[in-house]
């Protein structure tokens, strides 16, 4: 028996682990869902004793098994589920191999585990598992059949943008959908609807994507309800009906198979137009908490794709029935870095490879706050680590001047630049620890790569979304969050010290980060889009 276990895929508060390969005879175990997963030594022990040539033997030491899915090796037979009582583990169960067409769908669904614990039910786990059953009606084979049956390009209308957090996940989803269709010899016809001043107005044309604009308005949030009724907000809200009319005309003319909204205020008129024109609408939320635009559109959506299972209990009740967890798409190149390439490309000849490497970034334009905090701990930090620092163009001269005051042996282990471009995947792979903001894109990349992090949220982020993201990772043990008054030099050193000095701590944080990561998020979102567009 030859098998490999892939850890780290989470779904609605439970964890999916996949046996990727090879039992010589009998069915392949393709999915196992657990409330709690044991440590690695126990994993090996349990699975080696639990899988025997087409039989699934449930050990009493296996904690909280919720469901098992298995297929025969040629995948022509039924998906089978093991169901346990909520309070006790079952004993040995044999995998049913009855063909799919001979299984009554209601009886097959009845065998699926339905969580009854009040906590898991409140988190939306039960509906999530039922949705997995419904979505299995469109299997990968039947979806591929529908794709091959297309007699014209698949039409995708994308809306969302304003910032990179909304724009780049949409762009990654477009690329992934185009690649999936190309595998079957089919083409993708894309139209991006955004604002004239948003980032998407530059990104879409540069990628060869058709682009149109609509009128829209931005809601300026405030804790003071009176300020919400400001003249600027009233004026912008008055533009929304015009934007809806413009978007409705665009949607009617383009006739998309599906509409993808990644948030941003431009998404509201386009999402409403999709609803009015009866086109499938798939929302994607990058952060833990729904943004204003996606919150407004959630009830109208065909499907709501979220980046974290922690988002599910925060959704409007009606939206939970259509929610799936896909993760936040990351650029494929981020996952292909090599540390030696970073050493060579950046000329890091003074780095001591026996020491951990810390990558510090405040984003493309840098962060004065992070730069200041780093300078306060830099002499101490360089005694036990190498430091890569992306500081932004506004702070480059000052950071270099500060670096020149360091002793030569420490200065050799410090590299600073205003911007890191195509070398970023290699830099991230080289880094053992990352100090950064906690925007949705950053979180997706760090967790996909399994990087321990010290997160310093941007205090002014909309809806405090960065603070929520950072705290989510901290609760999971993947990061340390320095929010508000805790973002001081002393607290940064206090947070760094145990991570720098303990390889075991870094390994644990990396494992927890990888557990949250979804490197296949673009593929999952692509599947959701194609299913929505081809399932009419």
């Amino acid at each position: 028996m030859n098998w490999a276990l892939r850890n780290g895929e989470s779904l609605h508060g439970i964890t999916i682990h996949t046996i990727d390969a090879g039992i010589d005879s009998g069915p392949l175990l393709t999915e196992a869902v657990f409330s709690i997963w044991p440590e690695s030594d126990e994993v090996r022990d349990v699975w080696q004793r639990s899988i025997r040539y087409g039989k699934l033997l449930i050990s009493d030491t296996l904690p909280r098994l919720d469901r098992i899915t298995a297929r025969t090796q040629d995948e022509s037979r039924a998906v089978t589920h093991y169901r346990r009582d909520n309070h006790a583990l079952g004993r040995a169960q044999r995998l049913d191999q009855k063909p799919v067409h001979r299984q009554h769908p209601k009886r097959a669904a009845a065998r699926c585990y339905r969580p009854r614990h009040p906590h898991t039910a409140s988190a939306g786990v039960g509906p999530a598992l039922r949705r997995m059953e419904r979505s299995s009606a469109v299997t990968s084979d039947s979806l591929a059949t529908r794709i091959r049956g297309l007699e014209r390009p698949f039409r995708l209308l994308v809306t969302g943008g304003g910032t990179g957090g909304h724009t780049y996940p949409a762009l990654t989803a477009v690329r992934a959908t185009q690649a999936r269709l190309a595998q079957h010899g089919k083409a993708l016809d894309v139209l991006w609807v955004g604002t004239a001043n948003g980032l998407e107005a530059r990104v879409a044309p540069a990628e060869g994507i058709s682009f149109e604009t609509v009128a829209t308005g931005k809601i300026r949030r405030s804790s003071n309800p009176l300020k919400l009724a400001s003249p600027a907000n009233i004026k912008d809200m008055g533009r929304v009906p015009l934007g809806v009319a413009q978007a409705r005309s665009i949607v009617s003319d383009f006739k998309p198979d599906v509409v993808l909204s990644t948030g941003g205020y431009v998404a509201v008129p386009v999402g409403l137009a999709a609803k009015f024109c009866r086109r499938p609408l798939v929302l994607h939320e990058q952060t833990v908490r729904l943004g204003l635009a996606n919150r407004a559109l959630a009830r109208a959506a065909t499907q709501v794709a979220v980046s974290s299972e922690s988002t599910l209990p925060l959704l409007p009740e009606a939206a939970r029935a259509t929610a799936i967890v896909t993760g936040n798409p990351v650029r494929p190149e981020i996952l292909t870095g090599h540390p030696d390439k970073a050493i060579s490309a950046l000329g890091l000849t003074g780095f001591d490879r026996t020491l951990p490497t810390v990558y510090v970034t405040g984003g493309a334009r840098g962060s004065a706050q992070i730069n200041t905090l780093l300078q306060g701990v830099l002499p101490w930090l360089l005694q036990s680590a190498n430091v890569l620092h992306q500081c932004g163009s506004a702070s480059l001269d000052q950071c270099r001047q500060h670096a020149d005051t360091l002793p030569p042996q420490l200065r050799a282990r410090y590299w600073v630049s205003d911007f890191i471009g195509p070398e970023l995947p290699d830099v991230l792979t080289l880094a053992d620890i990352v100090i950064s903001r906690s925007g949705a894109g950053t979180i997706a990349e760090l967790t996909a790569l399994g990087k321990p992090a010290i997160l310093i949220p941007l205090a002014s982020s909309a809806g405090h979304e960065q603070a929520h993201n950072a705290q989510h990772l901290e609760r999971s043990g993947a990061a340390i969050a320095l929010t508000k008054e805790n973002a001081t030099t002393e607290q940064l050193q206090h947070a760094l010290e145990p991570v720098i000095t303990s390889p075991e701590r870094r390994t644990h944080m990396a494992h927890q980060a990888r557990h949250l990561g979804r490197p296949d998020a673009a593929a999952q979102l692509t599947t959701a889009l194609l299913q929505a567009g081809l399932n009419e």
Side-chain angles (χ1 to χ4, degrees):
M1 180 175 62
N2 177 27
W3 55 269
L5 183 67
R6 182 178 61 179
N7 290 333
E9 301 179 4
S10 297
L11 175 68
H12 309 297
I14 53 185
T15 303
I16 294 176
H17 297 268
T18 306
I19 297 297
D20 287 321
I23 299 174
D24 295 335
S25 63
L28 288 175
L29 182 62
T30 57
E31 184 178 86
V33 182
F34 301 92
S35 295
I36 296 176
W37 186 249
E39 295 300 324
S40 58
D41 289 343
E42 189 177 357
V43 168
R44 288 192 293 269
D45 180 54
V46 167
W47 281 101
Q48 286 172 349
R49 289 188 290 108
S50 296
I51 305 174
R52 293 294 185 270
Y53 302 103
K55 292 183 180 180
L56 178 65
L57 304 179
I58 306 303
S59 168
D60 287 334
T61 62
L62 190 62
R64 296 197 188 179
L65 175 64
D66 286 343
R67 194 181 68 168
I68 288 293
T69 303
R71 293 180 186 272
T72 56
Q73 288 197 20
D74 62 4
E75 295 192 355
S76 65
R77 294 179 180 270
V79 175
T80 310
H81 302 278
Y82 169 79
R83 181 180 59 179
R84 69 163 175 85
D85 184 83
N86 198 45
H87 303 290
L89 286 169
R91 303 299 294 178
Q93 298 284 325
R94 182 167 180 83
L95 294 172
D96 183 1
Q97 297 184 25
K98 186 179 295 185
V100 174
H101 68 271
R102 292 178 59 189
Q103 294 195 21
H104 192 284
K106 291 185 178 179
R107 292 178 183 173
R111 294 209 305 271
C112 301
Y113 171 65
R114 301 289 190 263
R116 294 184 292 275
H117 191 282
H119 175 72
T120 56
S122 66
V125 179
L129 291 178
R130 288 192 289 274
R131 284 192 301 280
M132 289 176 67
E133 292 310 308
R134 289 197 300 269
S135 67
S136 68
V138 184
T139 65
S140 58
D141 288 341
S142 65
L143 181 58
T145 300
R146 294 187 184 207
I147 293 173
R148 289 192 293 269
L150 282 169
E151 298 179 353
R152 54 167 177 76
F154 184 84
R155 288 192 287 265
L156 171 64
L157 190 148
V158 177
T159 185
T163 65
H166 297 304
T167 302
Y168 289 115
L171 178 60
T172 303
V174 168
R175 290 172 173 171
T177 305
Q178 189 173 41
R180 178 83 65 87
L181 291 166
Q183 291 174 359
H184 300 282
K186 303 301 178 181
L188 177 67
D189 190 3
V190 188
L191 174 63
W192 198 313
V193 180
T195 62
N197 300 321
L199 177 63
E200 68 275 16
R202 301 191 300 273
V203 169
E207 292 287 327
I209 298 173
S210 301
F211 184 77
E212 294 196 33
T213 63
V214 295
T216 189
K218 178 179 180 180
I219 303 299
R220 295 155 187 84
R221 295 186 243 200
S222 173
S223 56
N224 185 345
L226 295 177
K227 291 184 178 180
L228 288 174
S230 65
N233 273 351
I234 293 173
K235 179 181 177 181
D236 277 3
M237 283 188 283
R239 293 168 56 84
V240 173
L242 173 60
V244 172
Q246 294 172 331
R248 189 168 184 173
S249 175
I250 292 171
V251 172
S252 296
D253 290 343
F254 185 63
K255 297 181 176 60
D257 294 297
V258 66
V259 176
L260 169 64
S261 165
T262 57
Y265 50 89
V266 69
V268 174
V270 181
L272 291 175
K275 181 67 174 178
F276 295 151
C277 295
R278 300 176 181 268
R279 307 315 301 161
L281 172 64
V282 175
L283 305 185
H284 182 267
E285 179 56 52
Q286 301 83 46
T287 63
V288 174
R289 294 174 180 266
L290 281 186
L292 282 178
N294 280 346
R295 199 180 310 162
L297 295 172
R299 292 176 178 83
T302 306
Q303 196 150 61
V304 179
V306 297
S307 299
S308 168
E309 64 275 4
S310 298
T311 305
L312 293 168
L314 306 177
L315 292 173
E317 188 68 32
R320 293 182 197 176
T322 63
I324 57 171
V325 181
T326 61
N328 191 12
V330 298
R331 296 167 289 166
E333 56 267 27
I334 286 292
L335 307 175
T336 61
H338 195 284
D340 290 338
K341 290 183 179 180
I343 295 291
S344 175
L346 303 180
L348 306 176
T349 56
F351 274 30
D352 183 347
R353 297 294 295 275
T354 65
L355 299 176
T357 296
V358 180
Y359 173 47
V360 184
T361 177
R365 291 184 292 182
S367 162
Q369 179 194 24
I370 291 178
N371 294 341
T372 300
L373 292 175
L374 176 64
Q375 289 176 7
V377 302
L378 195 56
W380 164 82
L381 180 58
L382 287 169
Q383 293 176 27
S384 51
N386 309 300
V387 176
L388 287 160
H389 182 196
Q390 179 186 348
C391 65
S393 57
S395 302
L396 182 59
D397 291 340
Q398 194 274 333
C399 288
R400 284 177 172 170
Q401 291 172 8
H402 183 268
D404 290 339
T405 67
L406 296 168
Q409 68 273 20
L410 299 185
R411 179 66 179 87
R413 293 202 289 269
Y414 175 66
W415 181 91
V416 62
S417 179
D418 58 336
F419 182 73
I420 296 178
E423 306 87 2
L424 180 59
D426 302 319
V427 167
L428 285 171
T429 305
L430 175 65
D432 298 289
I433 306 159
V434 177
I435 301 174
S436 71
R437 295 297 195 196
S438 50
T442 298
I443 295 298
E445 292 174 355
L446 294 179
T447 55
L449 292 167
K451 294 297 175 181
I454 311 295
L455 300 175
I456 305 171
L458 180 65
S460 60
S461 61
H464 305 292
E465 64 182 31
Q466 289 207 13
H468 294 307
N469 294 341
Q471 289 162 355
H472 171 58
L473 261 66
E474 184 173 52
R475 287 192 297 269
S476 301
I480 299 171
L482 300 180
T483 57
K484 296 182 180 179
E485 65 277 359
N486 290 325
T488 65
T489 299
E490 293 76 14
Q491 289 296 324
L492 178 58
Q493 181 172 337
H494 179 72
L496 276 169
E497 187 168 12
V499 185
I500 290 290
T501 58
S502 173
E504 294 78 14
R505 177 73 181 272
R506 293 197 298 274
T507 298
H508 173 73
M509 293 177 70
H511 173 78
Q512 296 302 103
R514 199 173 293 112
H515 177 80
L516 296 173
R518 293 177 176 272
D520 63 343
Q524 296 296 329
L525 183 55
T526 289
T527 297
L529 291 172
L530 292 172
Q531 287 182 348
L534 298 174
N535 199 30
E536 294 189 301

